[in-house]
Amino acid sequence: MRNMNHRLWGYYALNRGAIVKECESDLGQAFKAIRSVETSGAAVEDALLADSCNEWLLFHGSSPAKCESICRNNFRISLSGTGATWKDKGSPKGTPLYGHGVYFADRVTKADEYSEMVEAGRRFAGCHTMLVCRVLGGRVQYCDTNEIDPASLQKQVISGPFHSVFGDRVTKLKKPFREVVVYDATQCYPEYVIYYR
């Protein structure tokens, strides 16, 4: 189901314009287009993605209620670490691998790990839910090791020349997925809720 939230789209479109301009300028960190994302070159209906700012279609698995809430109100960075992130016993919040941000996968199988089923008696009962989102990667902080300092990565994006973290667990580590993390909710637009079995 397509999400037609004009307010969220407006914030996203403004941010996309700003990130395109930043990627065109020389801020001490050259822009590099990342085309190894599984969904590179994909188009949703008739709307193309902007390669000039690493705009991608990515997946985010969650519960049906959370998917609906995200489509209405966008992602809330303050909730990062409260979901499937590993937590100390009794702690409601953990520290995600790349810091507190919004996580996306370029493969549906990774997002499926976080998806939940629609309850019996509700529309689409028995189906799982996930979001297909437009995500602005911009200048990416590329990370392909297990030696990860989440606070440092997050700081390089929030206070430095980068717009996102590109966690490549495939190339060197031979893991089955890549993740993209943004720390500003206006860098993503939840475009579709997918119901699947």
Side-chain angles (χ1 to χ4, degrees), residues 116-193:
E116 294 180 19
M117 191 181 298
V118 178
E119 297 172 4
R122 297 198 60 206
R123 185 175 178 202
F124 302 112
C127 291
H128 283 77
T129 54
M130 114 177 14
L131 297 169
V132 176
C133 301
R134 286 177 178 261
V135 179
L136 300 169
R139 283 193 177 99
V140 301
Q141 173 60 32
Y142 188 81
C143 183
D144 64 356
T145 72
N146 274 330
E147 318 312 307
I148 298 168
D149 179 351
S152 175
L153 285 174
Q154 192 168 343
K155 184 178 180 183
Q156 290 175 40
V157 172
I158 293 172
S159 303
F162 300 104
H163 298 106
S164 65
V165 170
F166 187 87
D168 183 353
R169 315 279 295 158
V170 176
T171 305
K172 287 185 181 175
L173 301 173
K174 306 303 180 202
K175 304 281 183 173
F177 61 87
R178 294 179 182 91
E179 291 181 292
V180 173
V181 185
V182 297
Y183 306 98
D184 176 353
T186 64
Q187 281 181 243
C188 42
Y189 178 71
E191 192 149 12
Y192 290 91
V193 179

Side-chain angles (χ1 to χ4, degrees), residues 24-67:
E24 291 170 349
S25 68
D26 181 18
L27 296 176
Q29 181 65 39
F31 171 77
K32 180 182 176 193
I34 305 289
R35 293 190 173 86
S36 59
V37 173
E38 293 290 324
T39 57
S40 283
V44 177
E45 296 177 14
D46 60 351
L48 298 176
L49 301 171
D51 286 338
S52 60
C53 66
N54 283 325
E55 182 179 29
W56 303 301
L57 289 174
L58 299 172
F59 305 102
H60 182 89
S62 194
S63 71
K66 289 177 185 171
C67 285

Side-chain angles (χ1 to χ4, degrees), residues 3-16 66-76 131 133-134 136 184-191:
N3 182 31
M4 300 293 283
N5 186 319
H6 298 289
R7 180 179 57 85
L8 295 185
W9 177 255
Y11 290 134
Y12 177 83
L14 281 172
N15 202 1
R16 181 173 58 185
K66 289 177 185 171
C67 285
E68 291 171 15
S69 176
I70 291 166
C71 285
R72 279 191 313 275
N73 305 304
N74 211 348
F75 291 91
R76 291 180 23 209
L131 297 169
C133 301
R134 286 177 178 261
L136 300 169
D184 176 353
T186 64
Q187 281 181 243
C188 42
Y189 178 71
E191 192 149 12

